[in-house]
Amino acid sequence: MKYNDTLIDNILYKRIILLLSRFGALSMQVIDKNANKSYEQELANFEQKIADEQKIEPSDWMPEAYRKNVIRQMSQHAHSEIIGMQPEGNWLTRAPSLRRKAILLSKVQDEAGHGLYLYSATETLGINRSEMIAALQSGEAKYAQIFNYPTLTWADVGAIGWLVDGAAIVNQISLQRTSYGPYARSMVRICKEESFHQRQGYEALYAMAHGTPVQKQMAQDALNRIWWPSLMMFGPHDADSAHSSQSMAWKIKRISNDELRQSFIDQSVPQIEVLGLEMPDPEIKWNEERGHYDSGEINWQEFKEVVNGAGPCNYQRIKHHKNAHQEGEWVREAVRSYKEKRAKKQNETAA
Amino acid sequence: MIDTFVIHEQKPLYRFILALADDSLTLSHRLAQWCSNGPYLEEDIALSNVALDYIGRARMFYQYAAKLEDKGRTEDDLAYLRNEREFTNLLIHELPKGDFAFTMVRQFFVDVFYNLYLEELLKSSDENVVAIAAKSIKETRYHLKRSKPWIRQLAEGTEESRQRILNALEELKDFVGELFEMPTWEQELCDAGIAPDRSALQQPWDDYVQKFLAISDIDYHDTVLRIRGGRDGIHTEHLGHMLCDMQFLQRSHPNMQW
Amino acid sequence: MKQEQLAIYEVFIRSNRGLDHKHVGSLHAESPEHALMYARDCYIRRSEGVSIWVVESTNITASEESDIENFVDPMDDKPYRHATHYVLPDSIKNM
């Protein structure tokens, strides 16, 4: 492909502007000049859109609390993708075959890509990426607690792809219908890419579960360790969830934590059976009456501790992120400085 | 020097393909180490793409080498079950990733080299080699397109970035000569129309690199062969550590499928 | 923390020949050339496109949602612009 050929000339620029002014669907901050409408009218208008299943778009009026809530959820989602690169990245140099090495690298790269889509979509709400990164590094913004557990063996990489990405998919499918347009659209894109993540993980674990006794033991051990933190990914029980009810009312969240968790358990149990591994929770049992699997209670104390910084890798994950970020500072500075110099030169030539 | 390892007894074509595979694998390993360590997200993703291209290239060469050897070994046996002295990559590929300037200067150097080399490899009389070269050259053209602006930005950016570029040029310069070395066995393949003549690429490489660096006011010297040994299995100390990491699972759990 | 933001570029991709370019998201880059390369690496890893446009976000002028009534509605009351506005004899089948 020739990339120079696709450089846009002035005519194309104008056409894009025309196009956009027709559809007005971009990440532009628009100053609200229409002071005639009262807050109540705006709010009613907004709530009507939500009730009508219309998407909220970046330039729409929205209550400040909605904006904050969406920023919180989206940036947390983006941070999870980015921090999530580390536990699997831990095995990039040690993947046991060339095929697995290529798969793992492209998978971890996808996580970076998903982080990018989400940061990009969040920026439409008037916050920039460096502010989000600062919030991540200061601990103000959270990310999925699962990534604070270590990846100890190669089987963990398989288990993460299968269970952690599996849990994420269950959640993300429901979020394709989220009320904020850019969030919904990035979920569609991400879901499309994500099923490869889950399948490659399951395939890797399946190979081990059907390999030698040592490999099977590794697979069982990974399942036992990663199962519970995966269930925690859906968040606290509905009754204990701080942000849930407002998020549901605004249709930011579409399905409750407990419902999502149940459907994850229901889909995973038969998959464990196919692996031929023992259930990681002895209380897992089919409940004919409910039409769902029953399961044991999650250790919520552990969940709280890990979310609040006391997991085995919390410190390490943020430190890794800070280090990479700091080491990149001179590069970003050089890039900016080069751009300024070039612009100055162009001005001089023009004058 | 008496070589206690078997490299010298290998058939030239097998040895040639295996060496090219080792070049790609070691470089891909270094590039992959940038994943989650890039200066910003977009560049992180872009570097992973380059690493993936080299993993793909390594696999194609290893698969062909395994076929040539015809002893039932697989690409993974070749990558994961040979020792330091049996690896024959040129040393520039195995050097640790260093800082971002080092990575980009090395990339620029090898990108210029592979643009020249793969173009010649396309003319090989071996159709398997031509097929691999045809796929690889497209990737390499894009890599060079990426590494050139990086060299300029860093060389002309801030004082610090320029200094880092100069340091990287200094650190890498002695490893360049080996790219153009033609041992007897490779010369034989060249005479047979299978392998390109590396030594003929030195002048064009020097010209290209010197001309490009001159834009950023950097005076770069002619290449001189200084450090060599990769093709004979004589490496820097870094390779052993790379293999420790890379081969760990295959070594600690032999004969298993993953 | 130092301001680290590079410029934001909007990315448009033509997924197949014959289709329009469609907005897919944005990215950070320091020049249009780099934005284009990053768009390739970030948005078409699975060959999702055959052509890419990048535009620096600040170069886009968008309509204002809050003014949309005044901006769009007046266009809505001109039914004579649509083919269905005209009643023709039944004997004219396809026009």
Side-chain angles (χ1 to χ4, degrees), chain A residues 1 3 6-8 12-13 16-17 20-21 24 26-28 30-34 37 59-60 109-110 113 116-117 120 123 128-130 133-134 137 189 193 196 325 329 332-333 335-336 339 342, chain C residues 1-8 10 12 23-28 30-33 36 40 42-46 48-57 59-66 69 71:
Chain A
M1 193 179 293
Y3 291 85
T6 53
L7 275 181
I8 307 169
L12 293 186
Y13 266 109
I16 291 168
I17 291 166
L20 292 171
S21 53
L26 263 209
S27 56
M28 303 298 94
V30 176
I31 306 155
D32 188 3
K33 288 183 194 156
N34 197 338
K37 279 190 194 150
S59 52
D60 287 353
Q109 183 199 36
D110 265 358
L116 177 82
Y117 304 157
S120 145
E123 281 183 315
N128 65 39
R129 196 192 297 172
S130 46
I133 288 175
Q137 294 187 346
R189 178 170 269 275
E193 300 187 352
F196 129 64
H325 198 70
E329 179 58 26
R332 298 189 296 272
E333 237 175 64
V335 153
R336 276 192 301 269
K339 185 183 176 184
R342 207 173 60 157
Chain C
M1 186 205 249
K2 283 185 197 167
Q3 169 62 23
E4 60 148 60
Q5 195 94 5
L6 306 173
I8 300 182
E10 302 295 334
F12 300 80
H23 182 242
V24 293
S26 65
L27 51 77
H28 293 190
E30 66 285 357
S31 70
E33 294 81 6
L36 203 51
R40 176 251 195 205
C42 300
Y43 282 95
I44 57 165
R45 287 196 300 286
R46 293 175 174 78
E48 294 94 335
V50 294
S51 161
I52 305 175
W53 290 348
V54 289
V55 186
E56 199 170 339
S57 302
N59 285 335
I60 288 172
T61 312
S63 66
E64 294 173 22
E65 199 64 26
S66 56
E69 288 167 20
F71 191 70

Side-chain angles (χ1 to χ4, degrees), chain B residues 9 14 26 41 83 91 94 102 116 121 130 134 147 155 157 161 170 198 206-207 246:
Chain B
E9 291 161 22
Y14 170 70
T26 46
L41 206 41
N83 293 318
L91 305 177
E94 76 191 37
F102 183 87
L116 298 166
L121 201 60
V130 173
S147 56
S161 68
E170 179 64 24
R198 294 171 171 269
D206 279 356
D207 291 347
M246 189 191 295

Side-chain angles (χ1 to χ4, degrees), chain B residues 107-136:
Chain B
Q107 208 51 46
F108 173 60
F109 279 4
V110 300
D111 290 345
V112 174
F113 175 76
Y114 283 119
N115 267 273
L116 298 166
Y117 186 78
L118 293 171
E119 203 70 64
E120 294 303 312
L121 201 60
L122 279 173
K123 301 172 193 161
S124 171
S125 58
D126 183 311
E127 58 180 17
N128 292 294
V129 167
V130 173
I132 298 172
K135 172 151 195 330
S136 303

Side-chain angles (χ1 to χ4, degrees), chain B residues 40-43 45-46 49 53 139 142 145-146 149-150 153, chain C residues 6 26-31 34 36-38 40-42 45:
Chain B
Y40 48 91
L41 206 41
E42 287 81 355
E43 185 57 31
I45 294 168
N49 263 356
D53 287 343
E139 298 161 354
Y142 179 68
K145 205 165 171 165
R146 250 181 55 77
W150 265 120
Q153 288 185 107
Chain C
L6 306 173
S26 65
L27 51 77
H28 293 190
E30 66 285 357
S31 70
H34 254 104
L36 203 51
M37 287 194 271
Y38 287 148
R40 176 251 195 205
D41 289 320
C42 300
R45 287 196 300 286

Side-chain angles (χ1 to χ4, degrees), chain B residues 3 19 85 104 113 124 155 160-161 187 195 201 216-217 248:
Chain B
D3 200 321
R85 293 281 280 106
M104 289 324 295
F113 175 76
S124 171
E160 181 183 359
S161 68
Q187 188 60 50
L201 304 179
S216 305
D217 226 358
F248 149 70

